[in-house]
């Protein structure tokens, strides 16, 4: 008999079935996504479903460990006969009012005995398990392993070198000319690397033909061009400027050098006039009558020129990617390694045609219960893999047919938040939510907008800001009737975000809070870098002030870039503030590490005096026996790791605690690197310069990028870097997709928005859609940053150069959405404040308790997760961006 039957803790069949029907939850920040997913998982376990039939996925090991921790700790507390409160809370969480202590203890013991069968894992880990079930179908090399980000980059560079070496000079010249739209760049490797970075991941699941979807119109006949040139010369406009312009058009038409007209204002005006039905103008002047047909011929010739170059660029990109794909796969097969994206793409191609019965047989059992966390970050390829599992779990007819009178044999639960979709750069697509409801019928959609994290003042600020985004002038920019107007697409995305934004509500009405926005000081006659430094200086002082007033509060300092993280850490340490860094920096942020690396490079390249000069200026110069020959002999005799340890030992007695820790981490990195076949000094030095390594220390002030803060919360959040452009010019490719479950039907290289009018309407919409997605992701990034705050939010922005503050930055967006009236051009000016400025005095809890509560998971939970899930997670070596 089941646990529920033995202990009479079941509810009636209708209640249980409704509770476990296919559900998609749109959960805003701080509303308890993990709580809901854990509750669902416990309900499934309480109905005595076998652990091996359950799959719960998320994006980080930390989140997976947190879910497992919560299940075990909740059951252990509820199983205590003396803890009635814990049992009552669990009853409320799972909706089983008759649950008793004995059932909780029995379920806990069952889970612990079968913990190796319970799949609570990252997508990386899941895909690795799936791949090992289909080694032959996926053409996997024997004993393969996942690469890390550094190894992936090295393999990528080697594959590009192979592409270059196997092409003869004429072929390479032709391809590079086409890739560069007629220009050859100085660095072949760099040009090809950029192409790979921007295009390879998009086209991997498609055929090479997707690069041939740009239709190039036929160029006007030469006789027509000659006639048009004559008509333009004979035109007699009143204005001299118009006359000169028409003469220039005539000259270009005769010579055929239409490339010089691609950015010409008159060409743009011709396109606008044909779209709107108005007269063609040059400036304010209307062109003479009778030239419409001639102007159309010139425009057609210029359009052919632009699209021909784009088509040639696409063709060259397709050829390069095909060659690169061949070489990189050969290298990975030979070295028996695969990247996570390699596994996902191969699985997606296979799962598009595999039936669920075959899948269940290979996995030694069916997955009947699927729970997906942070679903908004799922990529189309990942959804293609998860889709057959989800469809099987959503088969409610089969669930009722196979199940007993009280059990649900299958269930599907998906939770996420499209407002927190900030990983578009690595393939995440927020629209994946719509794909679930479109492709799988019978799913119930729910919303969660009550925050259990933030104070009412923070929530009021969030509501005011994101509900009034339309107040910014850029929300009305552009011509909505013109599909080639990027500003119009961006404006539409801003209005849509504001319109769809659900009002949030704070659960804890008594929690004190405060929001403050202020300008920094400016440097007289300073450039952008100087004013950035000034803003960081003021932010560091503000952080130090907050910390000294409320040392028991956790402070999260969130930036947009990793460079800003290093800048702020340096300033805070200069103010004697203990600070920790999330995500890590290369070890070269330590002068001691740089010294060791220079010594190694001196041994590797004794003829390069730069390294010897650096070493001679350091503490190593005190030992005359240390020279390039002795270091090289030590490496040959003892290896890289022991040499690094020896050099670090020479420096450590003179180093502070921070540099000593970095030297220890350098030694551990050398020990791990020495396992590589044929290790070389210069490759190790490069690894050290590129690999991010955290400094493991607990501190009340934590500095990180907004991306790394996902899933965390802090008593105080400080945002000092909101003055950069909301979106950046995209160098990526643009894909035309019919649905997220299918590969792209067409791909093209990106062209600037001033050239969009040359494209067909369908491509204009594709380009505009990409621009809208970039703007939406920028808004999501701002939402994530603000909603990390529990009680206080401090925003420091640079003074504006204009009083209207009409620029496309997050700072300007906030200023207009809030309806601020203070002078944004003034130094150290408060622009906005709300709530209680003495918010920190309302919480009198002991420092230790508050610091513990500010962490998303208690340390005991983290330790237990690491022990219990290490064996299941060992095969999944995620890139560093997935670890934070």
């Amino acid at each position: 008999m089941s646990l529920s039957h033995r202990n009479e803790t079941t509810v009636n069949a209708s209640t249980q079935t409704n509770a476990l029907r296919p559900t998609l939850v749109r959960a805003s920040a701080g509303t308890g996504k993990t709580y809901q997913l854990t509750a669902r998982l416990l309900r499934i376990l309480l109905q005595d479903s076998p652990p091996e039939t359950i799959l719960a996925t998320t994006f980080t090991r930390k989140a997976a460990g947190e879910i497992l921790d919560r299940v075990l700790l909740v059951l252990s507390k509820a199983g205590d006969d003396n803890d009635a409160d814990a049992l009552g809370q669990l009853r409320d969480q799972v909706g089983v009012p008759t649950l008793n202590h004995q059932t909780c203890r029995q379920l806990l013991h069952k889970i612990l005995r079968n913990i190796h069968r319970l799949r609570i894992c990252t997508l990386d880990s899941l895909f690795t398990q799936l791949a090992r079930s289909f080694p032959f179908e996926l053409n996997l090399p024997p004993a393969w392993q996942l690469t890390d980000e550094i190894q992936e980059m090295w393999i990528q560079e080697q594959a590009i070198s192979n592409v270059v070496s196997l092409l003869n000079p004429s072929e390479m010249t032709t391809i590079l000319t086409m890739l560069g739209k007629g220009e050859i760049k100085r660095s072949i490797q760099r040009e090809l690397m950029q192409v790979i970075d921007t295009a390879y991941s998009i086209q991997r699941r498609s055929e090479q033909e997707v690069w041939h979807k740009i239709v190039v119109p036929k160029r006007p006949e030469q006789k027509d061009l000659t006639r048009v040139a004559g008509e333009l010369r004979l035109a007699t406009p009143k204005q001299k400027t118009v006359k000169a312009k028409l003469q220039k058009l005539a000259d270009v038409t005769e010579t055929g050098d239409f490339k010089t007209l691609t950015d010409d204002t008159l060409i743009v005006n011709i396109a606008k006039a044909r779209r709107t039905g108005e007269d063609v103008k040059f400036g304010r002047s209307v062109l003479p009558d009778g030239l419409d047909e001639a102007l159309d011929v010139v425009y057609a010739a210029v359009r052919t020129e632009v699209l021909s170059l784009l088509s040639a660029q696409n063709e060259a990109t397709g050829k390069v990617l095909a060659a690169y794909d061949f070489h990189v796969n050969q290298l990975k097969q030979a070295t028996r390694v695969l990247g996570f994206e390699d596994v996902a793409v191969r699985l997606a191609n296979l799962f598009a045609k595999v039936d669920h019965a075959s899948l269940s047989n290979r996995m030694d059992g069916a997955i009947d219960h699927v729970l997906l966390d942070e679903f908004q970050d799922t990529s189309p390829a990942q959804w293609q893999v998860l889709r057959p599992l989800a469809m099987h779990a959503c088969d409610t007819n089969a669930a009722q047919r196979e199940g007993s009178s009280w059990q649900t044999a299958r269930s599907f639960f998906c939770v996420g938040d499209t407002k927190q979709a900030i990983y578009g750069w690595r393939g995440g697509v927020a629209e994946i939510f719509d794909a679930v409801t479109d492709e799988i019928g019978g799913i119930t959609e729910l919303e969660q907008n009550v925050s259990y994290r933030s104070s009412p003042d923070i929530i009021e600020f969030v509501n005011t800001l994101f509900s009034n985004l339309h107040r910014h002038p850029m929300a009305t920019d552009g011509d909505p009737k013109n599909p080639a107007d990027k500003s119009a697409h961006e404006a539409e995305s801003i209005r849509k975000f504001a319109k769809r934004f659900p009002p949030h509500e704070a659960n804890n009405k008594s929690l004190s809070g405060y929001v403050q926005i202020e300008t920094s000081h400016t440097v007289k006659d300073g450039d952008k870098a100087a004013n950035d430094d000034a803003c960081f200086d003021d932010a560091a002082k503000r952080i130090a002030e907050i910390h000294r007033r409320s040392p028991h509060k956790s402070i999260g300092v969130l930036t947009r870039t990793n460079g800003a993280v290093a800048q702020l850490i340096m300033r805070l340490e200069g103010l004697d503030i203990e600070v920790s860094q999330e995500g890590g920096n290369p070890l070269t942020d330590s002068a001691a590490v740089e010294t060791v690396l220079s010594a190694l490079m001196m041994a590797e390249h004794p003829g390069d005096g730069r390294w010897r000069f650096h070493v001679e200026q350091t503490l190593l110069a005190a030992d005359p026996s240390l020279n390039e020959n002795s270091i090289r002999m030590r490496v040959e005799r003892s290896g890289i790791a022991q040499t690094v340890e020896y050099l670090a030992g020479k420096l450590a007695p003179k180093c502070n605690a921070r540099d000593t820790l970095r030297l220890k981490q350098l030694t551990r990195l050398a020990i791990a690197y020495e396992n590589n076949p044929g290790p070389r000094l210069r490759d190790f030095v490069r690894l050290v310069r590129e690999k991010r390594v955290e400094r493991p220390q607990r501190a009340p002030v934590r500095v990180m990028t907004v991306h790394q803060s996902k899933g965390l919360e802090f008593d105080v959040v400080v945002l000092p870097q909101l003055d950069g452009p909301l979106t950046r010019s995209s160098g990526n490719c643009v894909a035309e997709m019919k649905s997220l479950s299918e590969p792209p039907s067409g791909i093209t290289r990106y062209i600037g928005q001033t050239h969009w009018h040359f494209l067909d309407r369908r491509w204009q919409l594709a380009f505009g859609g990409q621009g809208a997605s970039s703007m939406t992701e920028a808004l999501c990034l701002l939402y994530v940053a603000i909603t990390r705050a529990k009680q206080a939010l401090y925003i420091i922005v640079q003074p504006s150069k204009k009083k209207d503050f009409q620029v496309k930055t997050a700072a300007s967006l906030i200023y207009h959405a809030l309806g601020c009236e203070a002078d944004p051009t003034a130094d150290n000016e408060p622009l906005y404040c709300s709530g209680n400025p003495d918010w920190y005095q309302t919480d009198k809890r002991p420092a230790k308790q508050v610091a513990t509560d500010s962490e998303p998971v208690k340390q005991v939970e983290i330790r237990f997760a690491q022990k219990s899930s290490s064996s299941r997670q060992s095969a999944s070596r995620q890139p560093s961006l997935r670890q934070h």
Side-chain angles (χ1 to χ4, degrees), residues 57-59 122-123 126-127 340 344 371-387 390 412-418 420-436 710 737 740-741 882:
T57 71
T58 187
F59 273 83
T122 62
L123 283 179
L126 171 65
F127 285 12
F340 172 68
L371 301 92
L372 307 177
D373 189 20
E374 299 289 359
F375 192 64
Q376 75 280 347
D377 296 326
T378 303
S379 71
Q382 292 165 353
W383 170 237
Q384 189 69 38
V385 179
L386 296 172
R387 184 170 174 268
F412 175 77
F413 185 82
C414 173
V415 62
D417 183 13
T418 55
Q420 299 185 66
I422 61 174
Y423 293 112
W425 49 271
R426 73 180 187 196
V429 180
E431 293 81 3
I432 207 78
F433 266 96
D434 298 326
V436 173
K710 185 76 174 295
M737 301 180 68
L740 293 177
S741 298
R882 293 184 177 274

Side-chain angles (χ1 to χ4, degrees), residues 522-678:
T522 53
V523 178
K524 186 177 181 180
D525 300 325
D527 57 9
K528 181 182 181 302
N531 284 305
D532 286 346
D533 289 342
C535 188
F536 291 150
D537 289 339
D538 288 353
K541 293 175 183 176
R542 174 65 68 189
I543 295 163
E545 176 192 353
I546 297 169
H547 175 59
R548 287 173 184 137
R549 285 187 308 179
S550 52
H552 59 288
K553 297 291 186 180
S554 62
I555 302 175
V557 186
L558 311 184
T559 70
R560 294 186 66 180
T561 64
N562 286 303
V565 170
Q567 292 279 345
L568 284 162
I569 287 178
M570 178 185 70
R571 286 167 169 79
L572 289 168
E573 289 180 337
L575 295 173
D576 295 325
I577 301 297
E578 186 180 358
V579 58
S580 69
Q581 175 194 356
E582 309 297 317
N585 258 355
L587 296 178
T588 50
D589 61 4
S590 164
V593 171
E594 281 283 16
T595 300
V596 174
L597 297 185
S598 291
L600 296 177
M601 291 301 291
M602 180 179 69
E604 180 86 349
H605 300 284
D608 192 335
R610 293 175 299 171
W611 314 114
R612 183 183 303 106
F613 176 79
H614 182 207
V615 172
E616 289 172 351
Q617 312 308 312
T618 69
L619 295 173
L620 291 180
D623 186 350
S625 65
L626 279 178
N627 53 56
E628 54 263 36
N629 292 327
S630 64
I631 294 174
R632 188 165 56 251
M633 290 179 62
R634 184 177 291 274
V635 171
E636 293 174 355
R637 183 176 64 252
S638 305
I640 293 176
Q642 288 193 24
T643 303
V644 169
E645 185 179 19
Y646 174 77
L647 294 172
K650 291 282 186 181
L651 296 171
K654 303 292 185 179
C655 291
N656 58 24
R658 178 181 180 278
D659 284 329
T660 302
L661 173 62
R662 288 315 228 179
L663 288 172
K664 291 180 180 178
Q665 291 176 320
L666 176 66
T667 303
R668 287 196 290 268
L669 198 60
I671 293 172
Y673 174 78
E674 209 163 39
N675 294 325
N676 292 340

Side-chain angles (χ1 to χ4, degrees), residues 458-491:
I458 296 292
I459 294 301
E460 181 183 1
F461 175 78
V462 170
N463 286 335
T464 303
L465 169 59
F466 290 101
S467 298
N468 294 290
L469 294 173
H470 59 274
R471 292 177 178 174
H472 195 284
M474 66 179 167
T476 56
D477 278 352
D479 179 4
K481 296 182 180 180
N482 179 14
D485 192 333
K486 182 180 180 181
S487 296
H489 291 282
E490 292 177 338

Side-chain angles (χ1 to χ4, degrees), residues 152-164 167 172 175-176 179 187-204 211 313-314 316-329 331-332 341-342 425 731-733 747 749:
E152 188 72 26
M153 183 174 60
W154 288 353
I155 292 175
Q156 183 184 64
E157 291 177 352
Q158 182 60 50
I160 291 174
S161 297
N162 292 347
V163 171
V164 173
L167 289 173
M172 180 55 63
I175 287 179
L176 288 177
L179 284 175
S187 174
I188 296 176
Q189 290 276 105
R190 190 178 306 162
E191 179 69 13
L192 293 180
M193 180 71 79
Q194 183 179 2
V195 172
I196 302 302
D197 287 342
T198 59
Y200 185 57
S201 62
I202 298 178
Q203 74 97 48
R204 293 191 65 178
W211 292 99
Q313 192 181 26
N314 289 343
T317 301
K319 289 182 178 178
V320 167
L321 292 180
Y324 170 80
D325 184 69
F326 172 78
H327 288 290
V328 78
N329 283 326
L331 283 171
K332 288 183 176 180
E341 189 177 1
D342 301 322
W425 49 271
N732 295 335
C733 299
I747 309 176
R749 294 288 295 276

